Amino acid sequence: MEASQPSKSIPRVSGAPLIGNLSEFRASRLDLLLRVSRECGDIGSFRIGPVEVVVISSATLANSLLVGHAEDFNGGPIGRIFMPLVGDKSLIFQDGAPHREQRKLLAPSFHPKRLAEFCQSMTRYTQEAASGWQDGQMLDMVHEMTILTMRIIGKTMFDVDFQNEASDLREAMMVTLEHLDHMSSSAPIPLSWPTARNKRARAAIATIDNSIRAMIDERRRDATDRKDMMSSLLQARNDAGQPIDESQIRAHIVTFFSAGHETTALALSWTWQLLARHPEVYARVRQEVDALGGKTPGFEDLPRLSYLQQVIKESLRLHPTIFMIARAAVRDVEIEGYPIRKGQMVLIPPYCIHRNPEYFPDPERFQPERFEPEREKSRPKQSYMPFGSGPHTCIGSHFAMMETQLIMATMLQQLDLELPAGEQVKPQVLTVSLRPSAYKMRVKRRGSDAPQTKVA
């Protein structure tokens, strides 16, 4: 009988006595993750006080954990920070059979036919926003992209225009998201504690619950398909013919709203400043958009915007809006021979994997051609995963890519955006999301060089 192979040891970076790498984790999380990747290689660890946290920087190991051992891990303590606000029935907190059942129920909401129905709202709201920006105006890009994507998600999810309707729900959503940001950037205080911030958050959650309940009641009285996600959720049935229950719908809506507008806004904000810093890429994207002949871009035009898609993908490689994936072992397990103890936190940072020169030579260089189809196929799985991987891959990834392409193409038909000399854009982290610091760009309205915009 052969003796079993001994487990491989996981190297660890140095840290301060007692607190380990706590200060680095709080103050410079990206630098810490890159340090672990650089010093330890495919897998390493650091300490937060006495707690050892494992970091995986290899596509092979990421695939083994997120796909091969998906059932052995859950979201862990980082995910639980958000549970009081989005609910324990949110898709992001479910695993195994319940998770598979919910994804099956939600799949029709993200079918290409349903996504195609959202395109008109995306381009119309973008045209309205762009038409209101004056030549020479300085735009706060993160703010403007957030306002635009929030309006789009309101229409595609609820069939409401947050600019003119449902102001109570809009404000409650904003308060909830602001509270999530606060919880992400500080030691979280239980929502039950009677602080002024918590009271405001609880009131906002109550408003969201009441608003969604009223919408559900109204939709059940009038079953007309409004071509939005709420309609899809109410129409969904499980294998036994049962509809999704109200609490489940509420959890999905809050999750989709928070993820659906913020991640796209961040992707847009990162991509615009990259384009402005690379005029040769900007010119090629503009040329591709102009080839539409002024036609408002639609779902059928997405294949004609292939270079723009490469630009967005490269932007997400350098600045993945979810810069790390957090999982925790639910039992003792080995990942390619490396032992992970029950309860141990494992971080898989796309931010680091996307900078592995084995997958992406000269990784800090902005080079959209990396995502030409044949070059994409040549790379290993999980070498690029801005939307996660495995069973928990973001269900809205196609929605997000489509929205980002359509918004950028529609804006480029009307205007150019210039980054003032010396404008600095720095990464900011909040739990798992990567945001650009606030920055401004100058509007330059396009004149006779732009094809006249036509309604599709």
Side-chain angles (χ1 to χ4, degrees):
M1 186 174 184
E2 292 186 15
S4 60
Q5 292 294 318
S7 297
K8 302 175 185 178
S9 61
I10 299 175
R12 188 171 69 200
V13 297
S14 60
L18 299 179
I19 65 170
N21 308 96
L22 176 62
S23 298
E24 290 176 88
F25 188 74
R26 284 181 171 173
S28 53
R29 196 165 303 175
L30 296 177
D31 290 338
L32 174 60
L33 294 172
L34 288 171
R35 180 187 164 208
V36 175
S37 178
R38 183 176 62 253
E39 294 182 11
C40 301
D42 290 351
I43 187 169
S45 67
F46 64 89
R47 286 190 305 113
I48 299 179
V51 177
E52 184 178 29
V53 180
V54 173
V55 178
I56 285 178
S57 303
S58 151
T60 300
L61 293 179
N63 181 67
S64 181
L65 189 150
L66 294 171
V67 180
H69 289 274
E71 302 286 334
D72 296 323
F73 292 83
N74 63 20
I78 288 181
R80 286 196 289 272
I81 292 174
F82 308 117
M83 195 175 288
L85 297 177
V86 299
D88 60 358
K89 292 189 176 182
S90 171
L91 194 64
I92 58 177
F93 297 126
Q94 298 196 356
D95 296 283
H99 181 265
R100 288 191 293 273
E101 181 182 358
Q102 286 304 310
R103 280 191 77 105
K104 183 178 178 180
L105 285 169
L106 293 170
S109 300
F110 296 93
H111 188 276
K113 182 179 179 181
R114 178 64 80 177
L115 294 182
E117 294 169 347
F118 299 150
C119 291
Q120 187 175 2
S121 296
M122 293 175 179
T123 54
R124 185 174 78 251
Y125 286 166
T126 303
Q127 287 171 337
E128 290 178 9
S131 297
W133 297 328
Q134 303 302 311
D135 194 57
Q137 182 178 347
M138 299 298 291
L139 297 182
D140 180 333
M141 291 302 296
V142 179
H143 174 75
E144 294 293 345
M145 294 302 99
T146 299
I147 294 299
L148 175 57
T149 57
M150 181 177 293
R151 192 178 178 201
I152 290 171
I153 201 69
K155 186 66 175 178
T156 57
M157 183 167 291
F158 310 117
D159 190 32
V160 298
D161 183 350
F162 275 151
Q163 183 166 293
N164 304 304
E165 307 172 72
S167 58
D168 289 347
L169 177 59
R170 182 191 67 229
E171 291 303 316
M173 287 289 193
M174 289 298 292
V175 169
T176 302
L177 293 175
E178 188 274 333
H179 192 74
L180 282 174
D181 286 349
H182 174 73
M183 293 171 70
S184 302
S185 60
S186 62
I189 296 173
L191 193 61
S192 59
W193 288 19
T195 66
R197 182 183 292 276
N198 280 352
K199 288 178 181 178
R200 188 165 175 252
R202 288 199 300 270
I205 292 169
T207 297
I208 293 169
D209 289 343
N210 293 334
S211 298
I212 292 174
R213 191 174 298 114
M215 285 182 183
I216 292 172
D217 290 343
E218 178 191 354
R219 299 295 184 92
R220 284 177 173 158
R221 289 191 299 270
D222 178 6
T224 302
D225 184 355
R226 300 193 189 180
K227 309 299 184 184
D228 61 1
M229 288 191 183
M230 177 75 84
S231 294
S232 294
L233 291 173
L234 288 169
Q235 292 167 5
R237 297 292 184 273
N238 62 21
D239 292 338
Q242 299 299 312
I244 304 177
D245 68 64
E246 187 175 294
S247 62
Q248 195 87 60
I249 291 175
R250 184 265 187 206
H252 292 324
I253 283 176
V254 174
T255 301
F256 294 157
F257 182 90
S258 57
H261 89 274
E262 184 186 47
T263 54
T264 306
L266 297 181
L268 287 162
S269 301
W270 282 117
T271 307
W272 279 118
Q273 60 91 31
L274 280 169
L275 272 186
R277 296 181 195 279
H278 297 85
E280 71 290 349
V281 176
Y282 199 136
R284 184 174 169 185
V285 170
R286 189 194 300 112
Q287 184 180 36
E288 184 176 73
V289 171
D290 287 352
L292 297 178
K295 172 185 176 293
T296 299
F299 187 79
E300 70 282 1
D301 298 307
L302 293 175
R304 300 173 63 188
L305 299 171
S306 58
Y307 187 65
L308 175 56
Q309 184 184 64
Q310 291 172 32
V311 167
I312 295 165
K313 286 182 175 181
E314 175 69 345
S315 174
L316 288 170
R317 182 188 70 81
L318 287 167
H319 305 294
T321 54
I322 303 300
F323 73 90
M324 72 177 188
I325 301 164
R327 307 298 285 165
V330 298
R331 59 185 65 87
D332 290 346
V333 64
E334 283 197 357
I335 303 297
E336 304 295 319
Y338 292 102
I340 307 294
R341 301 183 307 277
K342 179 180 179 180
Q344 189 162 29
M345 177 66 70
V346 181
L347 303 179
I348 305 100
Y351 187 85
C352 296
I353 294 174
H354 292 180
R355 282 167 166 74
N356 188 328
E358 180 182 345
Y359 314 135
F360 300 100
D362 195 6
E364 294 299 333
R365 182 183 174 194
F366 178 64
Q367 187 182 35
E369 291 77 13
R370 299 180 199 272
F371 291 94
E372 292 171 348
E374 291 305 313
R375 294 180 69 176
E376 274 195 289
K377 292 176 184 176
S378 70
R379 287 190 290 267
K381 293 179 179 179
Q382 281 69 50
S383 62
Y384 180 73
M385 48 179 180
F387 297 104
S389 185
H392 282 272
T393 300
C394 174
I395 196 171
S397 59
H398 295 298
F399 177 101
M401 283 298 298
M402 177 183 77
E403 182 182 14
T404 307
Q405 276 183 277
L406 291 176
I407 288 174
M408 294 194 71
T410 304
M411 287 175 62
L412 282 164
Q413 289 182 326
Q414 295 192 40
L415 50 85
D416 284 318
L417 291 170
E418 300 174 340
L419 194 69
E423 188 79 8
Q424 297 295 312
V425 183
K426 297 181 179 180
Q428 299 177 333
V429 301
L430 283 171
T431 306
V432 298
S433 63
L434 183 65
R435 301 183 178 186
S437 58
Y439 73 97
K440 293 186 177 182
M441 297 186 80
R442 183 181 296 107
V443 174
K444 183 180 179 182
R445 308 276 333 164
R446 295 189 65 184
S448 58
D449 69 309
Q452 186 175 357
T453 303
K454 306 168 188 174
V455 178

